[in-house]
Structure formats: C-alpha cells, structure tokens
Amino acid sequence: MSPVEAAAAAYPGGWKPNTGSSVPLFEQLRLNIIERADDGSLPPGTRLPAVRSLAAELGVAPHTVARAYKELEAAGVVATRGRNGTVVCPRDEVWNSLSAAAADFAAAARAQGASFAEAVQLLAAAYDRH
C-alpha cells in the first residue's frame, strides 16, 4: 500500500469534531484537513472519503462535510474530480510558509486566552491594515 493509499484509509483516524466547541463543525474539519495536509500526514494525491461516508464516520450532517470540502477546494487545498473523489493538492513553499506563520499566531492567541473569534478578528484587522 502506497503512502497516499495508507493516508486515505486512515483518515480521519481517531479524530472527531468537538461538538462542545464554539468553532463550527465544518470549520473544525476544514482546519484538521489543512493541518494534516501541511504536516504531510495527508500527502498530495490522497483521496479523501466521500462526503456521506465521512459524515457518517464523524457523526455529522453530510452538509457539514460538503461545506468543508467546498471551502478547502476554494482555497486550493483539495480538488474535486467528480466520480474520482476529492484529493489533496500539492502545497507550495509560499503556502507552507503562510501555514507556519498561521500556526504560530494561533498558538500565541490560544496561549494568551483569545477565543477563535477574537483571533480571527485580530487577523482580519491586521490584514486590512497592510
């Protein structure tokens, strides 16, 4: 079994969305897939589970998974290829650098007690200033 096939078979592994979190379920899934694509545990070419299949495994509505996949596709993290499914796209150096900066910011915000919404507000304000 290739690394790509192994990653696909293992996803989502033991990960489950936190239903008690203020972060929407689709956003938790979206962030999890981005994190795994960035750390290499979902290598480029990995075929993600079908929407209904993943929704059933995670115990969420299919719309939740579909929205996460749609937003990931808009961001270039995955590509949907009709009957061939949704696959993880290759990442480039710029994306990896931005991802590392975002991870550092998220860790700092969390360490200082900022909520997800507050961290997003700060990031949006900084983005608008520059």
Side-chain angles (χ1 to χ4, degrees):
M1 179 180 295
S2 76
V4 169
E5 291 168 332
Y11 189 79
W15 181 83
K16 296 283 185 191
N18 178 354
T19 57
S21 173
S22 63
V23 178
L25 298 176
F26 81 89
E27 182 69 4
Q28 291 179 46
L29 176 59
R30 188 185 73 80
L31 293 171
N32 181 266
I33 291 172
I34 289 171
E35 181 179 315
R36 290 184 180 196
D38 287 346
D39 73 13
S41 61
L42 282 177
T46 300
R47 184 175 175 200
L48 296 175
V51 169
R52 290 186 196 280
S53 172
L54 185 55
E57 188 168 347
L58 295 177
V60 300
H63 175 74
T64 300
V65 176
R67 182 167 177 191
Y69 280 12
K70 182 179 178 181
E71 292 197 11
L72 288 163
E73 186 167 23
V77 177
V78 302
T80 301
R81 298 180 179 155
R83 290 181 182 234
N84 292 325
T86 301
V87 297
V88 177
C89 294
R91 312 295 269 181
D92 62 18
E93 258 184 65
V94 172
W95 183 262
N96 290 338
S97 174
L98 288 172
S99 180
D104 291 343
F105 172 72
R110 189 176 296 122
Q112 294 187 30
S115 70
F116 177 77
E118 291 167 334
V120 169
Q121 260 185 323
L122 289 169
L123 180 60
Y127 195 88
D128 288 343
R129 278 195 303 267
H130 298 285

